[in-house]
Amino acid sequence: MRIALLGGTGDIGEGLALRWAYHTDHEVVIGSRDPDKARAKAEEYETELSSRGVDRKINGFANEMAADRARIVVLAVPAYHASDTVESIADSLDDEDILVTPATGMQRDDDGFHYHRPGAGSVTQLVAEAAPDDVPVVGAFHNLAAGRLADLDADLGIDTLLVADDDDAKDIVRLLADGIDGLRPLDAGGLANAPEIEAVTPLLINVAMHNDDLHNLGIRFH
């Protein structure tokens, strides 16, 4: 399956790109508003994989072109760019595509990070409202430490929570997540449950900031 990571030059995009390219046979495409930046990052990822004995081709394109070439489109962009990114690629999507969003709205003050819940209820719901009506949206990969994800020497041993109103789309993303060694996808229900999941991310960051041995904190349910 071909996966486009829009904003794939950033931290979470890098981690997902490397993990999918390293652990699975899925084809990875990097998207960016700047296609030259996307191509440069794609080459960096290829070099990292090659150093580990993995010969994989990763292409970089402008976001619109990357989305047009993939069935799974991951919005690895900050929350405040999520809706604009969806609108910019809408013409590249059809009813066989799936949009995946890991974005969380956060604000920071002197006390730390806090969940910034948008008027739509969640960033995942914002994406669903911006997406074409026939394109399903899945919320996933919200609570992953980007540094841990991008470190291919690190054993993950963590969970990711999935929300969607389209069960078939959720199941496809579950299989994609399950292909990453050490990452366990768990069904958390429909899109209405996204706020509870998104709100965990600032909590994890705050805990990591105040505990020296927990910089790459993740969650695991027992």
Side-chain angles (χ1 to χ4, degrees), residues 45-143:
Y45 301 160
E46 287 180 348
T47 299
E48 171 64 17
L49 293 164
S50 179
S51 73
R52 297 171 179 275
V54 177
D55 183 18
R56 295 294 301 272
K57 178 63 178 175
I58 299 177
N59 291 307
F61 302 100
N63 280 334
E64 296 85 349
M65 192 171 294
D68 189 54
R69 283 162 166 73
R71 182 182 179 193
I72 308 299
V73 179
V74 181
L75 300 168
V77 298
Y80 49 83
H81 285 316
S83 292
D84 290 344
T85 301
V86 174
E87 291 170 2
S88 72
I89 64 168
D91 291 341
S92 300
L93 302 173
D94 60 41
D95 59 3
E96 295 185 354
D97 296 327
I98 299 171
L99 273 175
V100 181
T101 172
T104 291
M106 293 185 289
Q107 292 179 330
R108 185 177 187 179
D109 59 22
D110 292 341
D111 294 315
F113 286 86
H114 309 281
Y115 181 49
H116 180 57
R117 181 170 178 163
S122 67
V123 178
T124 307
Q125 188 60 46
L126 274 179
V127 170
E129 292 179 0
D133 290 340
D134 54 354
V135 176
V137 171
V138 179
F141 312 117
H142 294 96
N143 312 132

